[in-house]
Amino acid sequence: MAKFMDVHDGFVGVTQQQLEEAHQRDLDNERAEGVHFERAWLDPESGKVFCLSSGPSKEAVARVHEASGHPTTQIYELPVEVS
Amino acid sequence: MAKFMDVHDGFVGVTQQQLEEAHQRDLDNERAEGVHFERAWLDPESGKVFCLSSGPSKEAVARVHEASGHPTTQIYELPVEVS
């Protein structure tokens, strides 16, 4: 199981509730792909969303987001992490 | 206290140890700015690093990274978060 960060553009002015709804669609669709979306963060000023997930591949992450209606090609695998 | 994600490019082929050293420099420099770097994730293939922090402003986050020798202009404030 690998970890991934993906980035979305265009979420300018999106609210907490709208992000929750978008995230819920990912949670509804993720099981079919063996993915889990752990957290998502939004900057409504720039419209950037960052999603942290775990799963089998970038392609699986991409398919979940696509099924949820917010596709992205900016998906990065994260084999190195510090805290 | 706000939350921030910042993004760095150019870390292609960087190792766990090198990321730990870079993160340690941030931890050494952050107190002066009232910032805390919580986690950082690296994709050594694309060279992207994502840093999650809390602090008073984007400018404070930028100053810590600059003092640590890895400046970035890609800093996003994150008032909205879901999990």
Side-chain angles (χ1 to χ4, degrees):
Chain A
M1 207 67 136
K3 189 165 277 193
F4 301 91
M5 186 78 78
D6 64 72
V7 185
H8 303 254
D9 290 303
F11 283 66
V12 176
V14 161
T15 65
Q16 173 85 36
Q17 189 184 333
Q18 288 170 319
L19 188 68
E20 280 171 11
E21 288 167 4
H23 184 60
Q24 187 57 53
R25 290 200 296 279
D26 289 328
L27 297 180
D28 293 343
N29 291 322
E30 68 183 19
R31 190 174 303 178
E33 296 288 353
V35 170
H36 178 53
F37 283 93
E38 298 180 11
R39 290 163 81 184
W41 299 268
L42 163 66
D43 174 6
E45 200 177 303
S46 67
K48 292 264 182 196
V49 174
F50 299 91
C51 300
L52 185 67
S53 66
S54 56
S57 68
K58 276 187 208 183
E59 292 71 21
V61 172
R63 284 191 294 267
V64 178
H65 275 330
E66 197 171 318
S68 300
H70 42 249
T72 182
T73 58
Q74 302 173 73
I75 305 176
Y76 304 96
E77 189 169 339
L78 307 170
V80 183
E81 176 175 349
V82 297
S83 60
Chain B
M1 207 67 139
K3 189 165 276 190
F4 301 91
M5 186 78 78
D6 64 73
V7 185
H8 303 254
D9 290 303
F11 283 67
V12 175
V14 161
T15 65
Q16 174 85 37
Q17 188 185 334
Q18 289 170 318
L19 188 68
E20 281 171 9
E21 288 166 3
H23 184 59
Q24 188 58 52
R25 289 201 296 280
D26 288 329
L27 297 181
D28 294 344
N29 291 322
E30 68 183 18
R31 191 174 304 180
E33 296 288 353
V35 169
H36 177 55
F37 282 94
E38 298 180 12
R39 291 163 80 184
W41 299 269
L42 163 66
D43 174 6
E45 199 178 304
S46 67
K48 292 263 183 197
V49 174
F50 298 91
C51 301
L52 185 67
S53 66
S54 55
S57 68
K58 276 187 206 183
E59 291 72 20
V61 172
R63 284 191 295 266
V64 177
H65 275 331
E66 197 171 320
S68 300
H70 42 249
T72 181
T73 57
Q74 302 173 73
I75 305 176
Y76 304 96
E77 188 169 341
L78 307 170
V80 182
E81 176 176 351
V82 297
S83 60

